[in-house]
Amino acid sequence: MSARVSVEPSGRGTVVEPLIFDKSRPGHRAAAIEAPGVETATAAELLAGAALRQRPPAIPELAEPEVVRHYTRLSHMNHAVDLGFYPLGSCTMKYNPKINDELAALPGFTWLHPYQAEADVQGILELMWELEQALLAVTGMCRASLQPAAGAHGELVGILMIRAYHRDHGGAERDTIIVPDSAHGTNLATAKMAGYRVVELPSSKRGLVDLGTLAEALSERTAAVMLTNPNTLGLFEDDILEITRLAHEAGALVYYDGANLNAIMGKARPGDMGMDVVHMNLHKTFSTPHGGGGPGAGPVAVCARLEPYLPTPLVERRDAPGADADGPAGAGFHLVGDHPSSIGRVRGFYGNVGVLVRAYAYMMRLGGNGLLRASEDAVLNANYLRVRLHDTYDVPFDRMCMHEFVASASRQKHTTGVTARDIAKRLLDFGMHSPTVYFPLNVPEAIMIEPTETESRDTLDSFVDAMLRIDRESREDAAIVLEAPHVTPVRRPDETLAAREPVLRWKPAAESPEIS
Ligand SMILES: *Cc1c(COP(=O)(O)O)cnc(C)c1O
């Protein structure tokens, strides 16, 4: 039972780390300090017989430093934005200033409880109100709900509001949503999930919405057009004003997927483009770390005609006691939940408040000019990479892009057999995360690159060096690329086997003996 676990040297000079269960040794534990003069009772003395377990739990036994080292070693096996470049297109994996985390961890925020009386939580309500005002200033919309927990959740909320609007305005038969094929995948999923028929709009040769095709697709059945802008090719829709005009003429509303607002903030506002609903991803543009799936926040902002449908409660500011006879009295900030047309609550309590604090801190620290500069740098960085790579890799829509662009490994695949996937794997050997590959679907061997505004010229140049070198290797010694990665703790797992027969749980080899 206490046989030593062997450690294997790996390519990177780290050790291959066994499961914590396999590291367990009977009797290893953290120091248990007895409090002098305090009577302690055993479980047997406290619990009735039937409630007592018959066998010890199969949990690992380790001393504190063993646990700390185990998890620290595991953390070193992952790539992270705090370790290296992470140009994952459509994800905005930018570096997030640590001060945002520090501020969100202030005890004044972390010790709040959602059931506290309104009078005791004026600070956080004020922050939420100001954050809403800041997001409205950036988007040019009328009001916003901070409740949705992610971008896709914001989309669903937006579409449910559009449905409620049509129901109240004689449009109950509108059962179709038009989604361009350059939209983010969640747009289609959202429309389907909300029960709509989806009409996919093929892009023009320029990778944009074609006005003629759109006009043909619009009808008295269209509830909405969902636009990802910039689209997943990183392109800003040239005819965006015409798109909203045509849609509105047909009685449809227009949804703006604003997950990647760092392409346009400070430069252009969805409200000025005629958009009816916009969602934002605070965990992308507004600087909350989101690797590993969360937590996030996807506030959704609306134009005046959709305001009555927003999820509740909303934070409202009252300037003087009793200023509004219908609402709660008293100056200050109030949670108001009695909007009769609201689609209701979409999230427990007030959303992911910690994420809201980070976004607030980020926006206040940058200010209007800082946000504008962030957009300009995001776009400049993407274009810099595009131009430095476009002689070596195909760039199907090779013109000014926004925060990201899509290259392709088609040339490499046809001449050397090296695919986008191989290039992605080889980048790991250079300490860089791969870009998004094989998305969007309308570009074969797609490599979708989003450097973000936080990277320096030096980092961008090292990425270019790596990409150029991988292309050279493909031509001169393709095996290096085809067999990559070479230095990671795990190389190329059998993805089919992992999907078909996943091993997700550790099971004890044999049952532990009964407690005597
Ligand atoms: C990331 C993203 C989404 C989805 O956001 P989640 O928070 O992951 O649900 C939707 N649209 C676009 C354009 C995105 O980049």
Side-chain angles (χ1 to χ4, degrees), residues 90 150-152 155 184 186 228 257 259-260 281 283-284:
S90 208
E155 289 175 38
H184 194 268
T186 48
T228 297
D257 181 334
N260 308 121
N281 278 27
H283 47 292
K284 290 181 181 167

Side-chain angles (χ1 to χ4, degrees), residues 123-194:
I124 189 69
L125 293 183
E126 182 172 359
L127 182 148
M128 288 165 69
W129 188 84
E130 285 193 5
L131 175 63
E132 183 187 337
Q133 303 312 307
L135 295 175
L136 296 177
V138 168
T139 53
M141 305 301 282
C142 289
R143 273 227 77 167
S145 162
L146 307 175
Q147 269 184 44
H153 193 196
E155 289 175 38
L156 183 65
V157 170
I159 295 300
L160 292 179
M161 285 191 280
I162 287 175
R163 185 164 72 192
Y165 172 86
H166 284 310
R167 185 200 56 213
D168 289 356
H169 294 83
E173 75 291 346
R174 293 182 179 268
D175 62 355
T176 304
I177 290 186
I178 296 176
V179 185
D181 63 6
S182 60
H184 194 268
T186 48
N187 294 181
L188 290 106
T190 295
K192 277 256 182 234
M193 203 165 151

Side-chain angles (χ1 to χ4, degrees), residues 340-420:
S341 308
S342 164
I343 63 162
R345 188 185 272 283
V346 297
R347 181 77 172 67
F349 301 112
Y350 317 116
N352 280 331
V353 173
V355 177
L356 305 182
V357 176
R358 286 178 181 85
Y360 180 83
Y362 177 75
M363 293 182 86
M364 292 305 142
R365 190 153 175 262
L366 260 63
N369 287 334
L371 294 175
L372 171 71
R373 174 85 193 277
S375 295
E376 290 179 343
D377 288 350
V379 172
L380 179 63
N381 282 358
N383 279 289
Y384 179 73
L385 289 185
R386 177 180 61 81
V387 171
R388 287 219 52 204
L389 290 174
H390 69 176
D391 291 335
T392 310
Y393 291 88
D394 288 339
V395 177
F397 302 94
D398 193 12
R399 57 177 198 274
M400 185 70 96
C401 65
M402 300 301 289
H403 63 300
E404 65 192 3
F405 70 103
V406 180
S408 162
S410 285
R411 195 188 307 173
Q412 284 72 15
K413 185 178 172 184
H414 292 132
T415 53
T416 69
V418 162
T419 63

Side-chain angles (χ1 to χ4, degrees), residues 100-351:
N100 302 340
D101 293 318
E102 277 175 37
L103 294 174
L106 289 174
F109 294 122
T110 55
W111 285 85
L112 285 173
H113 193 281
Y115 282 141
Q116 265 172 281
E118 224 171 56
D120 293 344
V121 294
Q122 285 294 300
I124 189 69
L125 293 183
E126 182 172 359
L127 182 148
M128 288 165 69
W129 188 84
E130 285 193 5
L131 175 63
E132 183 187 337
Q133 303 312 307
L135 295 175
L136 296 177
V138 168
T139 53
M141 305 301 282
C142 289
R143 273 227 77 167
S145 162
L146 307 175
Q147 269 184 44
H153 193 196
E155 289 175 38
L156 183 65
V157 170
I159 295 300
L160 292 179
M161 285 191 280
I162 287 175
R163 185 164 72 192
Y165 172 86
H166 284 310
R167 185 200 56 213
D168 289 356
H169 294 83
E173 75 291 346
R174 293 182 179 268
D175 62 355
T176 304
I177 290 186
I178 296 176
V179 185
D181 63 6
S182 60
H184 194 268
T186 48
N187 294 181
L188 290 106
T190 295
K192 277 256 182 234
M193 203 165 151
Y196 282 99
R197 204 164 63 87
V198 177
V199 170
E200 199 173 296
L201 208 63
S203 295
S204 70
K205 282 201 198 67
R206 284 171 56 75
L208 301 174
V209 169
D210 179 83
L211 289 177
T213 322
L214 175 66
E216 266 170 47
L218 284 163
S219 76
E220 69 288 347
R221 303 275 297 273
T222 313
V225 178
M226 281 185 96
L227 268 194
T228 297
N229 188 61
N231 67 21
T232 54
L233 297 165
L235 303 174
F236 193 101
E237 291 292 347
D238 284 348
D239 297 317
I240 201 143
L241 296 176
E242 261 314 274
I243 294 171
T244 46
R245 196 186 62 77
L246 283 176
H248 287 153
E249 230 171 59
L253 300 189
V254 191
Y255 186 98
Y256 187 100
D257 181 334
N260 308 121
L261 222 56
N262 58 335
I264 66 156
M265 63 185 171
K267 288 279 182 191
R269 307 192 310 166
D272 301 333
M273 302 169 200
M275 297 297 160
D276 297 291
V277 198
V278 186
H279 89 261
M280 292 145 269
N281 278 27
L282 299 190
H283 47 292
K284 290 181 181 167
T285 312
F286 300 104
S287 188
T288 280
H290 64 285
V300 55
V302 295
C303 65
R305 59 178 159 170
L306 287 178
E307 223 184 290
Y309 302 98
L310 278 169
T312 53
L314 292 163
V315 181
E316 274 167 24
R317 186 174 74 175
R318 297 257 150 74
D319 291 326
D324 180 348
D326 298 332
F333 297 89
H334 300 280
L335 284 160
V336 179
D338 53 358
H339 294 235
S341 308
S342 164
I343 63 162
R345 188 185 272 283
V346 297
R347 181 77 172 67
F349 301 112
Y350 317 116

Side-chain angles (χ1 to χ4, degrees), residues 16-52:
V16 173
E17 188 66 10
L19 292 181
I20 196 162
F21 294 96
D22 293 331
K23 299 189 80 173
S24 173
R25 296 290 167 275
H28 284 213
R29 56 171 61 93
I33 300 166
E34 276 175 31
V38 177
E39 297 253 332
T40 54
T42 64
E45 286 163 356
L46 291 171
L47 292 172
L52 279 177

